[in-house]
Amino acid sequence: MKQNSPQIVIIGGGVIGTSIAYHLAKQDACVTLIEKNDLASGSSGACDGLVFMQSKKPGVHLSLAMESLNRFESLQRELPIDIEFKKTGGMVIIETDAEYRAMEKFTREQQAIGLDVRLLDQSQALEKEPFLSPSIMGSTFSPLDAQVNPISLTLGLALAAKKNHARVITHAKVLGIHTKNNRVTGVATTQGNFDADMVVNAAGSMAGRVSDMVEMSMPVQPRRGQIVVTHAGKPVLTRCLISAKYIAAKYDPSLADKSGQGISMEQADNGNLLLGSTREFVGFNRENTLSGIKKIIRQTAAILPVLENFQVIRSFAGLRPYTPDGLPILGPVRSLDGFFMAAGHEGDGIALSPITGDLMARMLLGQKIHIPLDAFSPDRFGSNGGKHHD
Amino acid sequence: MKAQYHVIIVGSGVAGLSAAETLANQGLDILIIDENVHTGGQLLRKTRPTSACFPKFDPDRMKSKGFNLVRKINKIQSIDWLFQAQVLGIFKDRRLWVHIEKGEKGSAEFLEVRAEHLILATGARERYLPFKGWTLPGVMSLGSAQILMKSHGVLPARHTLIAGTSPLMMVLASEILGNQGKVTALLDENPMIKKLRFLPLISHHWPKLMEGAIYTARMALNRVPMRQSVRMIEARGRDGFESAIVAKTTPEGKVIPGTETDYLAGALTIGYGFVPNIELPVQAGCDLEYQKDRGGWMVKVDETLESSCRSVYAAGEITGIAGAKKSFIQGKLAAMTILKRLGKTTPGNRKIKFQKDIHTLVSLDRQQKAYASFLNQLCQVPSSAYAAIPDDTMICRCEEITMGTIKKSIQQGFATVGSLKKATRCGMGRCQGRICGPVIFDIITALTQKSPGHVGCSLSRVPVKTVDIKAFLTS
């Protein structure tokens, strides 16, 4: 570790916090990560492992995701544990004519910026995934979409950070952030005080609460996503799937089907199917509901009828950090020196974690950044908290 | 079936039944849910009432008590029953999600039902000490061997080897002998000195001593070799269990090298005591507490058996392992607490008698605790035994995680049940940690010496048991 280098404290041991810690530690920075519970005990340990490119809106969001995708392969090699990263390819399942027309337009936009994505009719889609229901209209396909084990990714990043001399403190709750002359000086926790020249708020859905400690309002809201897990069965799915309704619910309220929020499906390495997901605003409640579980199963079984031979072994729910404009909040905060935000990725935290960690580390160490990040600035919301997306 | 009941009882073992009896004939809507095909829990599983000349010394006296209960309750018309039905989850306001194996249409279906008052009497399951080869076919728990014989009329094998720490080893041996089976040997890990801790309890529990004497005599009469202070080291066999290696232990429970002997048998049954079934109480939101001498993690209750969740009561083994008698008392006590709350104690001086009855039950319940802690201590193996499990031993059977992997992850800092699960996948499989959860807790504790509160407990999620997706699509 370099002498006299700035002390950086990261709040949050999820995939974003550990990725920043890893990228900083790799550059010999003085870094301490503080986590309230266990590593990956929040949303990073309660989500699916989709690294989906097709679901991103063409523009800065998609280019960020593409940058991130390229880094997964090197992480697979660098991290001390297997993160189960696989470029499986992904499909967006289309169930109605209206969805077909919308996806036609959406894929054209994506193709225009050079994304490798194409539209498949029903028989082409079934050729790729024979267990899909013949009742679907078709799908899109992109070979770029991938999947990863989100828990292994988070733990792997933390272990690698530790190897590079980062301090990782778990079961330490942040009690307050010390400031002096409008600059952060330290973080008070249940396990003592930590001096800090820079503090990074990577607290996921709790990021708003951490910002409140320095009287700064950040419009991050918890949005509950429930996921259902089946027993480890024979391979029935090689690619990860989302439904067109998912994209609709994300970007285009006019397309959103009121009866469903869109689903996602993947089969993990060991055979468990992960079926998701709801998108609910219920505060910090992370319990599963019977209606949520039923909805997920009915919708996924309609697309993948072979599910009827599977058993549910558990369900869980995570709180995705929602922001009003659907983009993460990355970078320094103008009104308090040394305070940085790295939160609000909602459902994209896993996919965007490699690039987020890299960019934040560069930013914190004052290095050059080749991607324009104005769209992600914490200062973009102003006083009204920005306008809402759905 | 109704959509809502005054009282729902989950589990129709001794605790559940004695609660039902107390609640009956008070004008209350009562529902009993049990996942088995029969009532009576483990105690009465597929047995018939027998008559004894000296009921007080009869080892089966709790059973006769249980059968009396069943007889009485069967006469009561006002109680609804659901058998072969699993409560998969408990949601806000005591709403139960129930899976019925054979519904009205003959196929599986779901039911949602709400309880104004909920009595959880979900009992206990067996605790394990993994050793090399414990996952071989033919190696089973004492309870599984009992189920084999009682429910299916099948002996574990012609020759059965029995090992462990549990006093139930004697009961099983006796049952095997009664079914014309052979017991190769009874290998008790406990030294005599540990059993002598029973002496101060004799005044309150002398029938237990008689019970022990009767069983020991039965073993001697049938020339069953009995050894003490020996630990199971390895189960061997090609396709199934063929032989076991055991070794002597010091009074502190350390294996003495060079003392290994082997036993040939067709099956090996093992028993290391019980742990409370806390999955449903966790679902209901009940706080837990850890009491090593009462079975580990259990439901925290007040004196009248109400949990930290209002109107959710816990009775029987889930408030601390203690056997049938305590379950009997607690079922009654939980029911009385509910009756009191519902104002079913009038008229006149019945109220005074009622209050007295509650006091009697509370003190009876306390009396059981001393005996219970003796029993649980007897079943406990020293912490060092968990630390000494060899690296290639399987710990989580569902996900096939070995002791070596677990040890490595603990050294990396994943030293809570929750973080170890994330780091290794132990407890993420089909059984959701019901088998390996308590074992993993004991391993972490043995290796880190951290407090139970720090190590934590494997918390179940909905559904607490696996459920066919088909059931969602048909109902």
PDB file of all heavy atoms in Angstrom, chain A residues 1-3 5-6 22-31 164-165 365:
ATOM      1  N   MET A   1       0.838  -1.212   0.000  1.00  0.00           N
ATOM      2  CA  MET A   1       0.000   0.000   0.000  1.00  0.00           C
ATOM      3  C   MET A   1       0.870   1.258   0.000  1.00  0.00           C
ATOM      4  O   MET A   1       1.880   1.309   0.694  1.00  0.00           O
ATOM      5  CB  MET A   1      -0.868  -0.008   1.243  1.00  0.00           C
ATOM      6  CG  MET A   1      -2.281   0.334   0.953  1.00  0.00           C
ATOM      7  SD  MET A   1      -3.284   0.113   2.423  1.00  0.00           S
ATOM      8  CE  MET A   1      -3.521  -1.660   2.449  1.00  0.00           C
ATOM      9  N   LYS A   2       0.447   2.230  -0.765  1.00  0.00           N
ATOM     10  CA  LYS A   2       1.249   3.453  -0.854  1.00  0.00           C
ATOM     11  C   LYS A   2       1.134   4.270   0.417  1.00  0.00           C
ATOM     12  O   LYS A   2       0.081   4.363   1.020  1.00  0.00           O
ATOM     13  CB  LYS A   2       0.749   4.313  -2.032  1.00  0.00           C
ATOM     14  CG  LYS A   2       1.223   3.800  -3.390  1.00  0.00           C
ATOM     15  CD  LYS A   2       0.650   4.722  -4.469  1.00  0.00           C
ATOM     16  CE  LYS A   2       0.566   3.997  -5.788  1.00  0.00           C
ATOM     17  NZ  LYS A   2      -0.385   4.599  -6.693  1.00  0.00           N
ATOM     18  N   GLN A   3       2.239   4.873   0.825  1.00  0.00           N
ATOM     19  CA  GLN A   3       2.209   5.781   1.960  1.00  0.00           C
ATOM     20  C   GLN A   3       1.495   7.058   1.546  1.00  0.00           C
ATOM     21  O   GLN A   3       1.541   7.472   0.387  1.00  0.00           O
ATOM     22  CB  GLN A   3       3.648   6.118   2.387  1.00  0.00           C
ATOM     23  CG  GLN A   3       4.391   4.953   3.016  1.00  0.00           C
ATOM     24  CD  GLN A   3       3.803   4.558   4.364  1.00  0.00           C
ATOM     25  OE1 GLN A   3       3.514   5.411   5.185  1.00  0.00           O
ATOM     26  NE2 GLN A   3       3.607   3.262   4.579  1.00  0.00           N
ATOM     27  N   SER A   5      -1.277   7.771   0.721  1.00  0.00           N
ATOM     28  CA  SER A   5      -2.341   7.769  -0.288  1.00  0.00           C
ATOM     29  C   SER A   5      -3.666   7.997   0.418  1.00  0.00           C
ATOM     30  O   SER A   5      -3.804   7.710   1.610  1.00  0.00           O
ATOM     31  CB  SER A   5      -2.341   6.456  -1.055  1.00  0.00           C
ATOM     32  OG  SER A   5      -2.504   5.381  -0.168  1.00  0.00           O
ATOM     33  N   PRO A   6      -4.648   8.537  -0.284  1.00  0.00           N
ATOM     34  CA  PRO A   6      -5.912   8.876   0.383  1.00  0.00           C
ATOM     35  C   PRO A   6      -6.622   7.622   0.909  1.00  0.00           C
ATOM     36  O   PRO A   6      -6.537   6.557   0.317  1.00  0.00           O
ATOM     37  CB  PRO A   6      -6.727   9.545  -0.724  1.00  0.00           C
ATOM     38  CG  PRO A   6      -6.098   9.125  -1.996  1.00  0.00           C
ATOM     39  CD  PRO A   6      -4.658   8.871  -1.708  1.00  0.00           C
ATOM     40  N   TYR A  22     -12.381  -3.858  -5.266  1.00  0.00           N
ATOM     41  CA  TYR A  22     -11.426  -4.666  -6.037  1.00  0.00           C
ATOM     42  C   TYR A  22     -10.614  -3.807  -6.997  1.00  0.00           C
ATOM     43  O   TYR A  22      -9.382  -3.897  -7.058  1.00  0.00           O
ATOM     44  CB  TYR A  22     -12.180  -5.755  -6.798  1.00  0.00           C
ATOM     45  CG  TYR A  22     -11.327  -6.459  -7.830  1.00  0.00           C
ATOM     46  CD1 TYR A  22     -10.246  -7.247  -7.440  1.00  0.00           C
ATOM     47  CD2 TYR A  22     -11.586  -6.312  -9.196  1.00  0.00           C
ATOM     48  CE1 TYR A  22      -9.456  -7.886  -8.381  1.00  0.00           C
ATOM     49  CE2 TYR A  22     -10.809  -6.947 -10.145  1.00  0.00           C
ATOM     50  CZ  TYR A  22      -9.739  -7.726  -9.744  1.00  0.00           C
ATOM     51  OH  TYR A  22      -8.950  -8.347 -10.665  1.00  0.00           O
ATOM     52  N   HIS A  23     -11.311  -2.962  -7.757  1.00  0.00           N
ATOM     53  CA  HIS A  23     -10.607  -2.132  -8.742  1.00  0.00           C
ATOM     54  C   HIS A  23      -9.666  -1.128  -8.081  1.00  0.00           C
ATOM     55  O   HIS A  23      -8.626  -0.795  -8.635  1.00  0.00           O
ATOM     56  CB  HIS A  23     -11.610  -1.448  -9.674  1.00  0.00           C
ATOM     57  CG  HIS A  23     -12.191  -2.387 -10.695  1.00  0.00           C
ATOM     58  ND1 HIS A  23     -13.355  -3.090 -10.473  1.00  0.00           N
ATOM     59  CD2 HIS A  23     -11.752  -2.769 -11.914  1.00  0.00           C
ATOM     60  CE1 HIS A  23     -13.612  -3.852 -11.520  1.00  0.00           C
ATOM     61  NE2 HIS A  23     -12.661  -3.682 -12.420  1.00  0.00           N
ATOM     62  N   LEU A  24     -10.050  -0.646  -6.894  1.00  0.00           N
ATOM     63  CA  LEU A  24      -9.162   0.266  -6.157  1.00  0.00           C
ATOM     64  C   LEU A  24      -7.946  -0.486  -5.612  1.00  0.00           C
ATOM     65  O   LEU A  24      -6.810  -0.028  -5.741  1.00  0.00           O
ATOM     66  CB  LEU A  24      -9.914   0.916  -4.996  1.00  0.00           C
ATOM     67  CG  LEU A  24     -10.852   2.077  -5.333  1.00  0.00           C
ATOM     68  CD1 LEU A  24     -11.689   2.422  -4.116  1.00  0.00           C
ATOM     69  CD2 LEU A  24     -10.064   3.310  -5.802  1.00  0.00           C
ATOM     70  N   ALA A  25      -8.219  -1.650  -5.011  1.00  0.00           N
ATOM     71  CA  ALA A  25      -7.138  -2.410  -4.377  1.00  0.00           C
ATOM     72  C   ALA A  25      -6.110  -2.856  -5.412  1.00  0.00           C
ATOM     73  O   ALA A  25      -4.919  -2.925  -5.135  1.00  0.00           O
ATOM     74  CB  ALA A  25      -7.709  -3.607  -3.627  1.00  0.00           C
ATOM     75  N   LYS A  26      -6.610  -3.150  -6.603  1.00  0.00           N
ATOM     76  CA  LYS A  26      -5.708  -3.572  -7.680  1.00  0.00           C
ATOM     77  C   LYS A  26      -4.684  -2.482  -7.992  1.00  0.00           C
ATOM     78  O   LYS A  26      -3.599  -2.749  -8.475  1.00  0.00           O
ATOM     79  CB  LYS A  26      -6.537  -3.864  -8.931  1.00  0.00           C
ATOM     80  CG  LYS A  26      -6.206  -5.218  -9.512  1.00  0.00           C
ATOM     81  CD  LYS A  26      -7.105  -5.689 -10.630  1.00  0.00           C
ATOM     82  CE  LYS A  26      -7.371  -4.745 -11.755  1.00  0.00           C
ATOM     83  NZ  LYS A  26      -7.946  -5.436 -12.933  1.00  0.00           N
ATOM     84  N   GLN A  27      -5.104  -1.227  -7.720  1.00  0.00           N
ATOM     85  CA  GLN A  27      -4.187  -0.101  -7.971  1.00  0.00           C
ATOM     86  C   GLN A  27      -3.500   0.336  -6.685  1.00  0.00           C
ATOM     87  O   GLN A  27      -3.048   1.467  -6.573  1.00  0.00           O
ATOM     88  CB  GLN A  27      -4.967   1.061  -8.566  1.00  0.00           C
ATOM     89  CG  GLN A  27      -5.611   0.715  -9.901  1.00  0.00           C
ATOM     90  CD  GLN A  27      -5.836   1.965 -10.723  1.00  0.00           C
ATOM     91  OE1 GLN A  27      -4.949   2.796 -10.870  1.00  0.00           O
ATOM     92  NE2 GLN A  27      -7.048   2.108 -11.251  1.00  0.00           N
ATOM     93  N   ASP A  28      -3.472  -0.552  -5.671  1.00  0.00           N
ATOM     94  CA  ASP A  28      -2.782  -0.275  -4.408  1.00  0.00           C
ATOM     95  C   ASP A  28      -3.360   0.877  -3.612  1.00  0.00           C
ATOM     96  O   ASP A  28      -2.662   1.481  -2.801  1.00  0.00           O
ATOM     97  CB  ASP A  28      -1.287   0.005  -4.658  1.00  0.00           C
ATOM     98  CG  ASP A  28      -0.531  -1.282  -4.889  1.00  0.00           C
ATOM     99  OD1 ASP A  28      -1.056  -2.334  -4.483  1.00  0.00           O
ATOM    100  OD2 ASP A  28       0.553  -1.233  -5.481  1.00  0.00           O
ATOM    101  N   ALA A  29      -4.626   1.201  -3.848  1.00  0.00           N
ATOM    102  CA  ALA A  29      -5.223   2.280  -3.059  1.00  0.00           C
ATOM    103  C   ALA A  29      -5.519   1.765  -1.654  1.00  0.00           C
ATOM    104  O   ALA A  29      -5.617   0.571  -1.415  1.00  0.00           O
ATOM    105  CB  ALA A  29      -6.500   2.757  -3.732  1.00  0.00           C
ATOM    106  N   CYS A  30      -5.651   2.726  -0.710  1.00  0.00           N
ATOM    107  CA  CYS A  30      -5.974   2.402   0.671  1.00  0.00           C
ATOM    108  C   CYS A  30      -7.485   2.298   0.781  1.00  0.00           C
ATOM    109  O   CYS A  30      -8.175   3.316   0.807  1.00  0.00           O
ATOM    110  CB  CYS A  30      -5.538   3.561   1.547  1.00  0.00           C
ATOM    111  SG  CYS A  30      -4.171   3.187   2.558  1.00  0.00           S
ATOM    112  N   VAL A  31      -8.031   1.101   0.834  1.00  0.00           N
ATOM    113  CA  VAL A  31      -9.492   1.002   0.766  1.00  0.00           C
ATOM    114  C   VAL A  31     -10.052   0.129   1.875  1.00  0.00           C
ATOM    115  O   VAL A  31      -9.497  -0.907   2.226  1.00  0.00           O
ATOM    116  CB  VAL A  31      -9.941   0.537  -0.645  1.00  0.00           C
ATOM    117  CG1 VAL A  31      -9.269  -0.760  -1.033  1.00  0.00           C
ATOM    118  CG2 VAL A  31     -11.448   0.372  -0.734  1.00  0.00           C
ATOM    119  N   ASN A 164      -5.534  -8.105  -2.354  1.00  0.00           N
ATOM    120  CA  ASN A 164      -4.763  -6.906  -2.687  1.00  0.00           C
ATOM    121  C   ASN A 164      -4.779  -5.899  -1.537  1.00  0.00           C
ATOM    122  O   ASN A 164      -4.699  -4.703  -1.747  1.00  0.00           O
ATOM    123  CB  ASN A 164      -5.303  -6.272  -3.969  1.00  0.00           C
ATOM    124  CG  ASN A 164      -4.941  -7.096  -5.192  1.00  0.00           C
ATOM    125  OD1 ASN A 164      -3.779  -7.359  -5.450  1.00  0.00           O
ATOM    126  ND2 ASN A 164      -5.947  -7.539  -5.921  1.00  0.00           N
ATOM    127  N   HIS A 165      -4.982  -6.419  -0.324  1.00  0.00           N
ATOM    128  CA  HIS A 165      -4.853  -5.643   0.910  1.00  0.00           C
ATOM    129  C   HIS A 165      -5.979  -4.662   1.190  1.00  0.00           C
ATOM    130  O   HIS A 165      -5.788  -3.711   1.956  1.00  0.00           O
ATOM    131  CB  HIS A 165      -3.501  -4.914   0.972  1.00  0.00           C
ATOM    132  CG  HIS A 165      -2.351  -5.819   0.669  1.00  0.00           C
ATOM    133  ND1 HIS A 165      -1.970  -6.825   1.532  1.00  0.00           N
ATOM    134  CD2 HIS A 165      -1.547  -5.912  -0.425  1.00  0.00           C
ATOM    135  CE1 HIS A 165      -0.968  -7.484   0.984  1.00  0.00           C
ATOM    136  NE2 HIS A 165      -0.696  -6.970  -0.192  1.00  0.00           N
ATOM    137  N   LEU A 365      -9.377   7.951  -7.929  1.00  0.00           N
ATOM    138  CA  LEU A 365      -7.929   8.136  -7.959  1.00  0.00           C
ATOM    139  C   LEU A 365      -7.511   9.270  -8.904  1.00  0.00           C
ATOM    140  O   LEU A 365      -6.335   9.462  -9.166  1.00  0.00           O
ATOM    141  CB  LEU A 365      -7.237   6.824  -8.356  1.00  0.00           C
ATOM    142  CG  LEU A 365      -7.488   5.642  -7.401  1.00  0.00           C
ATOM    143  CD1 LEU A 365      -6.880   4.359  -7.939  1.00  0.00           C
ATOM    144  CD2 LEU A 365      -6.931   5.951  -6.004  1.00  0.00           C
TER     145      LEU A 365
END
